[in-house]
Amino acid sequence: MTADDVVRLFADERRVRVFAAVALGATSAAEVAERTGLAAREAAGALEDREIVVSDAGGLAVSYGRFRDLARAAAGSGPPEDHGTGDERAETVLRTFVREGRLVRLPAQWERRKLVLRHLAQRTFEAGREYSEREVDDRLRTWCEGGAADHVTLRRYLVDLRHLDRQDGVYRRSPEDTALIG
């Protein structure tokens, strides 16, 4: 089963309902039928032989490992992410540390770290616009979800590197920070 097969599988409302019931703890066809309002036979056959719901000693369960495998396969099969810099060296660095709009981790090498931080500043803040500390934190948290960096560290680096100016609790991206990376 490929990632595309999973998408097609969930195009059927009946299958989605059965999957949700199992994900929420139903361990038998009877429980699935009760929770979904489907007939027991219909519930039992909805995900049969699909590799995403498995039957083990505890009954029915979602095969989260199978989903992880499919996600990994799908991630490796597409074209490389383009961050719009127009510079292949910068793109290589950004592909390593920024994936799907998230900062995986900050580079240890200082020049690479500066490049990634400048990219984040340019993608996150409009030049000249004022932001409260809360707005800055909220925007930076989005980059940090699921990664190894935290928004406070990013904010500190952005201020230290002068990608953001801070004055009286108000932040502004530096007007001279408008040149594209590269």
Side-chain angles (χ1 to χ4, degrees):
M1 177 178 284
T2 67
D4 289 340
D5 293 333
V6 173
V7 171
R8 282 191 288 280
L9 176 71
F10 285 120
D12 178 350
E13 177 190 345
R14 184 177 50 109
R15 288 182 177 138
V16 172
R17 290 167 59 193
V18 170
F19 176 81
V22 173
L24 292 172
T27 58
S28 69
E31 285 180 34
V32 169
E34 181 182 316
R35 292 182 186 190
T36 62
L38 298 171
R41 183 174 169 210
E42 189 177 18
L47 294 172
E48 198 172 79
D49 299 326
R50 299 297 180 157
E51 302 176 29
I52 58 170
V53 171
V54 295
S55 182
D56 60 19
L60 297 174
V62 172
S63 178
Y64 292 107
R66 182 67 177 138
F67 273 110
R68 278 190 293 278
D69 292 344
L70 290 168
R72 283 186 195 112
S77 65
E81 192 169 355
D82 182 5
H83 294 91
T85 67
D87 177 342
E88 191 53 41
R89 182 190 148 281
E91 286 295 323
T92 300
V93 171
L94 291 171
R95 276 188 217 115
T96 302
F97 297 100
V98 179
R99 294 193 195 121
E100 297 176 7
R102 302 288 187 259
L103 178 63
V104 178
R105 67 182 188 282
L106 280 171
Q109 187 182 9
W110 183 240
E111 290 303 314
R112 289 180 177 186
R113 183 175 291 192
K114 289 191 313 187
L115 186 143
V116 168
L117 289 164
R118 184 171 189 179
H119 174 75
L120 267 59
Q122 291 177 341
R123 294 287 189 248
T124 308
F125 304 102
E126 294 175 41
R129 179 173 171 232
E130 293 183 351
Y131 297 89
S132 69
E133 186 166 312
R134 183 179 188 161
E135 286 178 289
V136 171
D137 287 348
D138 289 345
R139 287 170 176 256
L140 293 176
R141 271 189 197 98
T142 302
W143 287 101
C144 298
E145 290 174 9
D150 66 274
H151 68 282
V152 176
T153 300
L154 293 182
R155 187 182 68 219
R156 185 178 65 242
Y157 277 129
L158 293 175
V159 170
D160 289 350
L161 291 170
R162 300 179 195 256
H163 294 306
L164 288 179
D165 293 325
R166 177 179 53 206
Q167 190 169 30
D168 298 325
V170 176
Y171 293 77
R172 182 179 303 106
R173 193 170 114 219
S174 307
E176 45 292 333
D177 190 38
T178 57
L180 291 175
I181 295 173

